[in-house]
Amino acid sequence: MGLTDGYSPHEHKPLGSYALMAGAFNATLGTFIAARGEDLPERIEPYDLVLMGAATHKLSRLIAKDKVTSAFRAPFARYEGSAGPAEVSEEPRGTGLRLAIGELVTCPFCLGQWVAAGFMCGLVTAPRTTRFVASIFATLGVSDALQVLYKEAT
């Protein structure tokens, strides 16, 4: 018997694939950190934290829930229906790595870590471009909130 046997006896959980994906994330981020070394900032400015946080929220939702990006999730997910303004509800499908990727790409909370790491690495390597791109997604998030408020008010 393996160490993970019995972890989820009633539902398939691709633990090996989760470990592979977590390992890939950590190895990539660790390599970036090691390669940049002294180039890493001593601290991240509060403005950048707010900007990157807002951009991470919006981009994670766009990747995981937007109708238009469903074409990229389709190999890993099954459409279930509408889930609000311009969003869809999808269920991860498959087994092993396919299921694990499906769980990642349909979950904005799960994607947040990956997107945030991308923005932070961008902030170190190309701060001007990263702030510009992040500003687009942060502005889109504000616009989305205003759209919802407008719809509720009318």
Side-chain angles (χ1 to χ4, degrees), residues 73-81 89-94 98 106:
R73 295 184 306 273
F76 310 101
R78 181 173 291 105
Y79 175 80
E80 290 191 325
S89 176
E90 296 168 329
E91 184 71 25
R93 64 185 171 121
R98 183 180 188 189
T106 60

Side-chain angles (χ1 to χ4, degrees), residues 45-126:
E45 296 297 327
Y47 166 82
D48 284 327
L49 286 175
V50 171
L51 176 61
M52 298 306 138
T56 294
H57 168 78
K58 182 56 194 171
L59 183 55
S60 297
R61 287 206 73 78
L62 191 139
I63 294 169
K65 297 288 185 183
D66 195 82
K67 288 178 183 179
V68 175
T69 56
S70 62
F72 302 107
R73 295 184 306 273
F76 310 101
R78 181 173 291 105
Y79 175 80
E80 290 191 325
S82 181
E87 291 190 346
V88 296
S89 176
E90 296 168 329
E91 184 71 25
R93 64 185 171 121
T95 59
L97 188 57
R98 183 180 188 189
L99 177 61
I101 292 171
E103 289 176 340
L104 175 65
V105 299
T106 60
C107 173
F109 298 97
C110 306
L111 279 170
Q113 174 180 322
W114 296 71
V115 172
F119 276 127
M120 287 297 155
C121 291
L123 197 56
V124 169
T125 58

